[in-house]
Amino acid sequence: QVQLVESGGGLVQAGGSLRLSCAASTGTFRNYHMGWFRRAPGKDREFIASINRGGSATNYADSVKGRFAISRDNTKNTLYLQMNSLKPEDTAVYYCAGKTILTAPYDYWGQGTQVTVSS
């Protein structure tokens, strides 16, 4: 089992940048496929980005492609989401998630961190 804790959320102006972090409690963090999701007010949870165990492959939702970058530092057991050119529609609670089986649903989730983008 692994515990995930997001941090780095806050209030920013449109066009600004923010970096989210997701700290994992286990030294086996490198064995987890990781992803970022968000839930905006009145909307369903949305996939944002994912990264494989070694960090060599990433995937992005079209809504954030070119603006957001997912990365990880396995020596620090930490996942990151660099968010640039933020828009008001990026306002949401952001969650990190992990799984050990690629084809399975994400089964480990953080508590979320609020990101608010003002216009």
Side-chain angles (χ1 to χ4, degrees):
Q1 61 183 12
V2 61
Q3 309 296 320
L4 302 173
V5 180
E6 302 94 335
S7 62
L11 175 63
V12 298
Q13 291 183 304
S17 297
L18 202 62
R19 188 178 75 160
L20 305 183
S21 298
C22 173
S25 64
T26 178
T28 62
F29 173 70
R30 56 178 39 83
N31 295 329
Y32 290 82
H33 191 281
M34 300 296 295
W36 285 99
F37 296 77
R38 68 186 182 189
R39 180 178 279 113
K43 299 178 65 177
D44 293 333
R45 186 174 63 199
E46 175 188 18
F47 167 79
I48 298 301
S50 64
I51 189 167
N52 70 340
R53 292 170 175 83
S56 61
T58 58
N59 288 286
Y60 297 92
D62 288 342
S63 59
V64 305
K65 194 171 300 182
R67 299 189 298 121
F68 291 9
I70 188 172
S71 62
R72 66 193 297 162
D73 186 342
N74 287 340
T75 69
K76 297 181 178 180
N77 295 336
T78 303
L79 176 75
Y80 302 99
L81 183 67
Q82 178 66 47
M83 304 184 293
N84 300 321
S85 301
L86 283 163
K87 306 174 181 179
E89 50 262 47
D90 294 320
T91 295
V93 177
Y94 284 71
Y95 301 88
C96 66
K99 58 183 178 181
T100 57
I101 302 173
L102 180 63
T103 57
Y106 287 93
D107 51 357
Y108 296 98
W109 294 83
Q111 86 289 346
T113 186
Q114 176 71 49
V115 172
T116 303
V117 184
S118 62
S119 60

